[in-house]
């Protein structure tokens, strides 16, 4: 009997380690089996998506001023203004994409949906640069006919669909890649650090190809082909991303982070003068459970300061029971 009791915990420990323990799930909503999901098996699809998206983005952005001046017959000042506004939009939309991913859709569906929007924008932009009716006529000597309102509308529709698509991809891809590694597993934690090295390498590869090869194609082989190449690459990336679906691990969306931040700030203010002795420090932990009480979130380590006071056990129990803080 003694030997059987000694072997049983070891068997149970090995059985637990077959599955990821960081709160993630597989495509069917079940605990993900480590041998079949996540880790490096899922990373090529994610890294490929990021590389292709950066190739497409820089393939447009690097030479966009030249396109405005030579094809749409804009002045340098007007072209630079349009490009700056567009690039600024590309860096604002990730705030919206991150909020949607964390609160409602999750990272996977946010990346997939916004990649489709991105691909649609690339297609419209390619048509705008290829079809004669969607761009102004060629210059005749010093006379350069301006683009019509309909031609501008088609071009800017494609351009800003790309900006919108960027907003759902940029904030989610690196996090979704990190979700493929179990933080509770020391070996996978080391692999996660290597993933970020490959992630930034993929970004630089996409930027390098677009800044050299695509710029040359646009100026020597035509803008239609110069925009078609990144469009095709983005389409391949989208298909490839969906092909990796059975291998992914998913973190469930945990609700709006804005709401939780506001709850913490209000609770911290209301309990500003509350005294907690050293013996009562255990009350500051989020919960006594291993995982976070918030779906899709990881437990936060204890830190000293005023913002720890809302973490008192009475508030956490109220949050779990009634869904709101007691202030």
């Amino acid at each position: 009997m003694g030997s059987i009791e000694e072997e049983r915990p070891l068997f149970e420990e090995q059985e637990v380690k077959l599955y990821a323990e960081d709160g993630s799930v597989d495509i069917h909503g079940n605990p993900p089996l480590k041998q079949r999901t996540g880790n490096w098996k899922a990373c090529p699809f994610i890294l490929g998506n990021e590389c292709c998206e950066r190739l497409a983005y820089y393939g447009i952005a690097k030479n966009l001023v030249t396109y405005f001046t030579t094809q749409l017959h804009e002045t340098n000042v007007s072209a630079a203004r349009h490009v700056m506004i567009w690039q600024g939009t590309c860096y604002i939309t990730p705030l919206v994409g991150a909020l949607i991913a964390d609160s409602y859709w999750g990272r996977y569906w946010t990346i997939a949906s916004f990649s489709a929007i991105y691909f649609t924008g690339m297609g419209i932009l390619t048509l705008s640069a290829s079809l004669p009716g969607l761009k102004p006529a060629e210059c005749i000597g010093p006379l350069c006919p301006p683009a019509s309102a309909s031609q501008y509308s088609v071009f800017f529709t494609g351009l800003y669909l790309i900006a919108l698509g960027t907003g759902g991809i940029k904030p989610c891809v690196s996090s979704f890649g990190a979700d493929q590694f179990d933080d509770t597993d020391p070996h996978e934690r080391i692999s996660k650090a290597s993933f970020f090295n490959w992630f930034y390498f993929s970004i630089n590869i996409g930027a390098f190809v677009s800044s050299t090869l695509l710029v040359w194609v646009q100026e020597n082989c035509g803008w239609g082909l110069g925009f078609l190449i990144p469009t095709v690459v983005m389409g391949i990336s989208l298909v490839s991303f969906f092909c990796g679906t059975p291998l992914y691990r998913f973190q469930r969306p945990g609700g709006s982070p804005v709401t939780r931040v506001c709850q913490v700030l209000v609770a911290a203010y209301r309990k500003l003068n509350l005294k907690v002795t050293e013996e009562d420090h255990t009350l500051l932990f989020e919960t006594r459970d291993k995982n976070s009480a918030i779906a899709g979130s990881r437990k936060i380590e204890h830190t000293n300061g005023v913002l720890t006071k809302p973490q008192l056990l009475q508030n956490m129990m109220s949050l779990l029971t009634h869904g709101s803080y007691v202030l």
Side-chain angles (χ1 to χ4, degrees):
M1 288 295 294
S3 60
I4 295 177
E5 293 296 329
E6 292 174 358
E7 291 176 359
R8 185 175 298 169
L10 180 60
F11 173 78
E12 291 177 353
E13 181 180 357
Q14 291 175 346
E15 186 177 17
V16 169
K17 290 185 177 180
L18 292 176
Y19 298 91
E21 300 176 356
D22 59 350
S24 60
V25 296
D26 61 16
I27 187 60
H28 303 294
N30 301 318
L33 192 61
K34 285 189 175 184
Q35 292 183 345
R36 296 183 180 178
T37 63
N39 217 321
W40 290 111
K41 295 183 290 297
C43 288
F45 303 99
I46 300 172
L47 295 175
N49 180 269
E50 177 65 15
C51 180
C52 293
E53 188 275 331
R54 290 292 87 186
L55 186 149
Y57 174 81
Y58 287 112
I60 302 298
K62 288 290 185 181
N63 225 13
L64 192 55
V65 171
T66 304
Y67 184 84
F68 271 109
T69 56
T70 61
Q71 302 299 308
L72 298 181
H73 308 150
E74 295 269 359
T75 63
N76 286 331
V77 173
S78 178
R81 182 175 65 251
H82 284 309
V83 172
M84 290 299 102
I85 293 174
W86 176 72
Q87 288 184 331
T89 305
C90 289
Y91 284 95
I92 291 176
T93 52
L95 298 176
V96 179
L99 183 63
I100 292 175
D102 291 340
S103 304
Y104 306 107
W105 293 358
R107 298 184 184 99
Y108 171 80
W109 284 113
T110 302
I111 295 172
S113 302
F114 281 79
S115 293
I117 294 173
Y118 199 118
F119 177 70
T120 302
M122 290 293 302
I124 294 174
L125 202 66
T126 301
L127 292 176
S128 175
S130 303
L131 300 180
L134 296 180
K135 60 182 179 179
E138 297 289 339
C139 294
I140 302 176
L143 300 176
C144 296
S148 65
S150 60
Q151 291 169 342
Y152 271 126
S153 63
V154 172
F155 176 77
F156 281 113
T157 296
L159 199 63
Y160 279 91
L161 280 177
I162 293 173
L164 179 60
T166 300
I169 299 174
K170 185 186 292 289
C172 297
V173 175
S174 59
S175 299
F176 188 60
D179 290 343
Q180 309 309 309
F181 300 92
D182 185 0
D183 281 334
T184 64
D185 187 320
H187 299 290
E188 292 197 13
R189 212 163 40 235
I190 295 174
S191 297
K192 181 189 288 190
S194 298
F195 165 78
F196 285 108
N197 293 334
W198 284 102
F199 178 78
Y200 287 105
F201 177 75
S202 301
I203 292 176
N204 291 324
I205 288 294
F208 175 76
V209 172
S210 61
S211 301
T212 52
L213 178 61
L214 283 183
V215 169
W216 183 88
V217 170
Q218 290 166 357
E219 295 186 350
N220 294 275
C221 302
W223 290 93
L225 180 61
F227 288 164
L228 178 63
I229 293 174
T231 302
V232 172
V233 170
M234 194 64 199
I236 295 173
S237 167
L238 184 59
V239 173
S240 174
F241 182 77
F242 279 116
C243 289
T245 300
L247 302 176
Y248 297 146
R249 298 175 187 172
F250 307 86
Q251 291 286 347
R252 294 187 177 96
S256 174
V258 177
T259 301
R260 297 200 299 272
V261 168
C262 292
Q263 287 176 329
V264 169
L265 293 176
V266 172
Y269 176 77
R270 294 291 298 271
K271 296 182 179 294
L272 191 62
N273 297 320
L274 187 65
K275 302 299 182 182
V276 181
T277 63
E278 183 65 27
E279 291 76 13
D280 295 331
H281 72 279
T282 55
L283 297 177
L284 294 173
F285 295 132
E286 182 185 354
T287 63
R288 289 189 174 92
D289 299 328
K290 183 176 182 180
N291 297 322
S292 173
I294 303 171
S297 300
R298 297 175 176 87
K299 293 190 69 173
I300 302 175
E301 294 183 1
H302 168 65
T303 57
N304 294 318
V306 66
L307 292 181
T308 63
K309 293 184 178 180
Q311 294 174 321
L312 284 173
L313 185 59
Q314 58 175 314
N315 275 345
M316 285 311 305
M317 292 305 296
S318 176
L319 180 62
L320 293 175
T321 307
H322 306 290
S324 61
Y325 280 98
V326 174
L327 301 179

